[in-house]
């Protein structure tokens, strides 16, 4: 299954497939021809009682298991039709849903007020006012900013293979509809202009450079540390980088 997927999915997806294998441990010694409901139930209990994973994560692993079984059916003529309707999703009626985190406009003003570096000030304003994902922000280049039309183009994504400590690579955006034009508010537009003029001072500058970086994109650890430091200085709650996207949605809804 992994060999088949290697040339057919993104490298990061393939890496994540590999990370899921250990969670199938109770099934490692089960032959596919013998796989039945009792084996599945044993795995289901293992996930429920011997892991601390969220229900959503368990169901994602269930989907992975079904993908492996589907591969066996399609290419090796195994039959699991009698099993699929018995492989019910994980549920936990007592699980407390995670509350979505975001900054209100007032909280964001406090957060951004402590940032004195133009690059990071512009970076966080881009996250907040344009609702970009982390990879989309990192993949933004100078040529993706259109100052005549006051909009930016989301056409690529930067991911780190093998986790944040791994090497980075350019990919297409997360979904087919993620390629889009995003209007740039006036409060952000001038900062982007100033940042471009400042970047021109550096040797080798061109429109292929990343807006928040140079020939390489800003590293996830740098983003995280700066965000944490600013939140602490400003006296506002800590949120994830992705929660700036939620903050943008909240801002738009409230307006």
């Amino acid at each position: 299954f992994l060999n088949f997927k290697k040339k057919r999915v993104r490298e990061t997806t393939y890496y994540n497939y590999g990370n899921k294998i250990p969670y199938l441990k109770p099934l490692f010694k089960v032959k596919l021809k013998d796989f039945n409901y009792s084996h599945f139930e044993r795995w289901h209990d293992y996930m429920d009682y011997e892991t601390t994973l969220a229900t959503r994560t368990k169901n994602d692993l269930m989907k992975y298991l079904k993908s492996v079984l589907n591969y066996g059916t399609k290419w090796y003529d195994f039959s699991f039709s009698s099993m699929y309707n018995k492989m019910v999703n994980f549920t936990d009626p007592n699980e407390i849903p995670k509350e979505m985190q975001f900054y209100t406009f007032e909280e964001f003003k406090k957060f951004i007020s402590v940032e004195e570096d133009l690059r990071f000030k512009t970076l966080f304003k881009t996250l907040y006012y344009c609702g970009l994902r982390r990879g989309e922000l990192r993949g933004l280049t100078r040529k993706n900013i259109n100052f005549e039309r006051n909009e930016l183009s989301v056409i690529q994504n930067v991911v780190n293979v093998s986790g944040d400590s791994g090497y980075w690579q350019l990919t297409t955006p997360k979904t087919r509809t993620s390629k889009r034009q995003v209007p740039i508010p006036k409060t952000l537009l001038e900062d982007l202009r100033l940042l471009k003029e400042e970047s021109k001072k550096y040797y080798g500058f061109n429109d292929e450079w990343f807006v928040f970086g140079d020939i390489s994109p800003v590293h996830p650890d740098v983003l995280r540390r700066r965000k944490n430091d600013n939140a602490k200085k400003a006296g506002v709650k800590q949120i994830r980088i992705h929660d700036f996207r939620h903050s943008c949605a909240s801002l738009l809804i409230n307006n």
Side-chain angles (χ1 to χ4, degrees), residues 54-88:
T55 301
R56 182 178 176 179
T57 305
K58 292 175 187 175
N59 284 324
D60 184 55
L61 288 161
M62 170 93 77
K63 185 179 177 182
Y64 177 67
L65 173 58
K66 286 182 176 179
S67 294
V68 175
L69 297 180
N70 286 338
Y71 173 76
T73 298
K74 183 174 182 178
W75 296 101
Y76 293 95
D77 300 322
F78 288 99
S79 177
F80 303 106
S81 56
S82 64
M83 280 293 300
Y84 285 133
N85 62 351
K86 299 174 186 175
M87 296 174 70
V88 294

Side-chain angles (χ1 to χ4, degrees), residues 70-254:
N70 286 338
Y71 173 76
T73 298
K74 183 174 182 178
W75 296 101
Y76 293 95
D77 300 322
F78 288 99
S79 177
F80 303 106
S81 56
S82 64
M83 280 293 300
Y84 285 133
N85 62 351
K86 299 174 186 175
M87 296 174 70
V88 294
N89 281 348
F90 292 89
T91 58
D92 183 357
N94 299 314
E95 186 175 45
I96 300 173
K98 277 189 176 181
E99 185 178 344
M100 185 177 289
Q101 293 289 309
F102 62 91
Y103 281 152
T104 63
F105 184 55
E106 292 304 316
E107 286 174 321
F108 179 70
K109 284 199 294 186
K110 288 182 181 178
F111 174 88
I112 207 67
S113 69
V114 301
E115 183 55 74
E116 298 177 354
D117 187 294
L118 177 63
R119 182 172 69 134
F120 286 105
K121 179 184 175 185
T122 309
L123 183 154
F124 289 116
K125 286 174 79 172
T126 302
L127 283 173
Y128 187 76
Y129 289 115
C130 297
L132 302 190
R133 298 178 176 91
R134 185 182 76 170
E136 294 170 349
L137 176 94
R138 296 178 66 210
L140 204 62
T141 63
R142 295 290 169 188
K143 66 182 180 182
N144 300 143
I145 308 293
N146 189 323
F147 287 106
E148 292 180 4
R149 297 177 60 179
N150 296 351
E151 65 181 21
L152 60 83
S153 302
V154 178
I155 60 172
Q156 61 188 17
N157 193 52
V158 168
V159 296
N160 280 56
V161 180
S162 305
D164 286 350
S165 59
Y167 61 91
W168 65 270
Q169 66 174 206
L170 281 174
T171 69
T172 54
K174 185 177 181 180
T175 65
R176 193 174 298 171
T177 56
S178 292
K179 287 188 176 182
R180 61 198 187 279
Q181 307 299 316
V182 181
I184 303 172
K186 290 179 182 178
T187 184
L188 172 59
L189 194 64
E190 188 56 30
D191 287 341
L192 284 167
R193 287 186 196 277
L194 290 172
L195 187 62
K196 183 174 183 179
E197 291 305 311
E198 189 176 280
S199 299
K200 284 180 178 178
K201 299 174 185 176
Y202 294 97
Y203 176 77
F205 172 82
N206 61 69
D207 281 346
E208 299 291 334
W209 274 26
F210 293 100
V211 175
F212 304 110
D214 38 52
I215 58 172
S216 297
V218 62
H219 195 277
D221 288 343
V222 174
L223 273 178
R224 202 159 31 239
R225 283 197 301 269
R226 196 76 178 200
K227 181 264 299 176
N228 291 344
D229 289 346
N230 283 358
K232 190 174 181 180
K233 288 177 188 175
V236 294
K237 62 179 176 282
Q238 293 286 357
I239 65 174
R240 303 170 305 164
I241 291 295
H242 189 75
D243 292 328
F244 281 86
R245 181 168 164 82
H246 298 161
S247 302
C248 178
S250 176
L251 180 70
L252 291 172
I253 290 168
N254 288 332

